[in-house]
Amino acid sequence: MCGTCGCSDPADPVTLTDPEKGERSVLRRGPLAGPGHDEGHHHHHAHGQGHDHDHEHGHDHGHDQPHVHGPNGEVVSLEQAVLAENDRIALRNRGWFEGRGVLALNLVSSPGAGKTTLLERTIEALAGGVEIAVIEGDQMTANDAERIRAAGARAIQINTGAGCHLEADMVAEATRKLDPPPGSILMIENVGNLVCPALFDLGERMKVAIISTPEGEDKPLKYPHMFRAAGAVIVNKIDLAPHVDFDQARCFENIRQVNPDAELIVLSARTGEGMADWLAFLRRQRREEPIGA
């Protein structure tokens, strides 16, 4: 898992960029590591609650954080601490979203599946009717946030550095900056990765997994944890299916094998085919919110 495998580098900070205001700030350095555990760096906690910790060894085990010394059980102990703290913040995020009637969706996929293009088309289709705000997750660049702004929606870019997924405290801080109004939709475009984002609850209503026809039909079998965690699966780039020998029936069968309850949507964000089904899905999800339109 990312908190222990080394894919998150303390020397490569997590940053938030607001393209509209031209602001860039450091959220934190290194992986989320449990309450009060900060690897000796300044950590902006969710919704502006910051703490500084100093330790002669550059390592703070305060606030009941498990001490991790030696090889036996250290990975499990740290993973439990990371996920427990993440889940605590995610629960707070979820309460905030539900209290304001904000539909928060966590879009997950491998790189290049078409998440950003789908968001652009969704923003254009719902313009003037439903306000959409977007949290963009990538390791580097603000390219996708700029694309979202050009499509007509507000966006915050989170750059995770060496990290391969978003975490709940990142979403909390980005949401604070975006402040989506009641009845709106918050789209969280996660870092392109079908492994670690399955483990991290962000407080979203559901995960929406996106696969594209050039990837083949077996992605749900190769990455079952992600597709099992998704409430809906979008098969994108259906216009390319005849050119890449994509078997839609087999793909559906593989999805059903790992997640019989997932809602399936087939579309092409590029041509617009099937977009009506996706927009209808969003309308149904908004009606299920306790507050809002």
Side-chain angles (χ1 to χ4, degrees):
M1 196 190 76
C2 294
T4 55
C5 75
C7 77
S8 191
D9 184 356
D12 204 355
V14 176
T15 61
L16 272 70
T17 302
D18 185 338
E20 184 175 358
K21 298 180 180 178
E23 297 177 349
R24 182 177 183 271
S25 59
V26 174
L27 174 60
R28 59 181 170 84
R29 292 174 171 84
L32 184 67
H37 187 90
D38 198 18
E39 299 292 330
H41 295 282
H42 184 66
H43 179 172
H44 293 287
H45 287 258
H47 300 284
Q49 298 176 358
H51 295 274
D52 284 308
H53 300 280
D54 295 308
H55 191 284
E56 61 181 351
H57 301 295
H59 207 73
D60 188 351
H61 294 291
H63 302 282
D64 298 322
Q65 169 66 23
H67 289 251
V68 180
H69 302 295
N72 296 325
E74 61 181 3
V75 171
V76 173
S77 298
L78 186 53
E79 284 185 358
Q80 289 175 344
V82 169
L83 291 175
E85 174 66 355
N86 184 84
D87 288 348
R88 183 186 69 80
I89 300 173
L91 183 63
R92 185 169 64 188
N93 289 349
R94 182 168 288 108
W96 193 92
F97 295 142
E98 291 180 353
R100 292 182 60 128
V102 173
L103 172 61
L105 298 177
N106 181 3
L107 305 187
V108 294
S109 78
S110 57
K115 296 189 300 297
T116 308
T117 301
L118 176 63
L119 286 177
E120 290 174 317
R121 301 297 177 264
T122 304
I123 292 163
E124 293 165 1
L126 296 179
V130 180
E131 183 168 343
I132 297 178
V134 179
I135 297 173
E136 282 288 346
D138 283 299
Q139 289 189 321
M140 294 294 176
T141 84
N143 294 348
D144 287 351
E146 294 287 1
R147 287 175 58 184
I148 294 302
R149 281 193 63 219
R154 293 180 302 126
I156 291 288
Q157 180 75 53
I158 300 177
N159 290 131
T160 59
C164 62
H165 62 273
L166 296 178
E167 296 175 14
D169 67 326
M170 304 176 191
V171 169
E173 181 64 15
T175 300
R176 185 185 69 80
K177 291 179 177 294
L178 282 172
D179 194 24
S184 63
I185 298 175
L186 176 66
M187 297 289 195
I188 305 166
E189 182 177 346
N190 218 313
V191 180
N193 176 13
L194 285 174
V195 182
C196 292
L199 297 173
F200 285 83
D201 181 9
L202 305 180
E204 72 273 15
R205 181 178 181 86
M206 70 168 63
K207 291 179 175 65
V208 178
I210 302 171
I211 57 176
S212 61
T213 56
E215 297 176 69
E217 305 90 358
D218 59 352
K219 277 291 187 292
L221 302 181
K222 289 182 175 180
Y223 303 95
H225 297 293
M226 177 57 75
F227 287 90
R228 192 173 296 123
V233 178
I234 294 175
V235 178
N236 190 22
K237 304 185 183 181
I238 195 61
D239 55 310
L240 298 181
H243 307 289
V244 295
D245 296 325
F246 179 78
D247 188 330
Q248 181 176 316
R250 180 176 295 177
C251 180
F252 279 17
E253 180 181 342
N254 292 340
I255 295 169
R256 294 297 187 205
Q257 185 174 328
V258 298
N259 187 350
D261 299 322
E263 181 157 355
L264 305 181
I265 303 170
V266 178
L267 57 79
S268 168
R270 187 180 69 87
T271 68
E273 178 184 353
M275 281 295 294
D277 294 334
W278 164 239
L279 298 177
F281 169 82
L282 293 178
R283 286 193 291 271
R284 290 197 305 274
Q285 293 302 315
R286 292 184 70 232
R287 286 197 295 269
E288 292 180 13
E289 290 292 332
I291 301 175

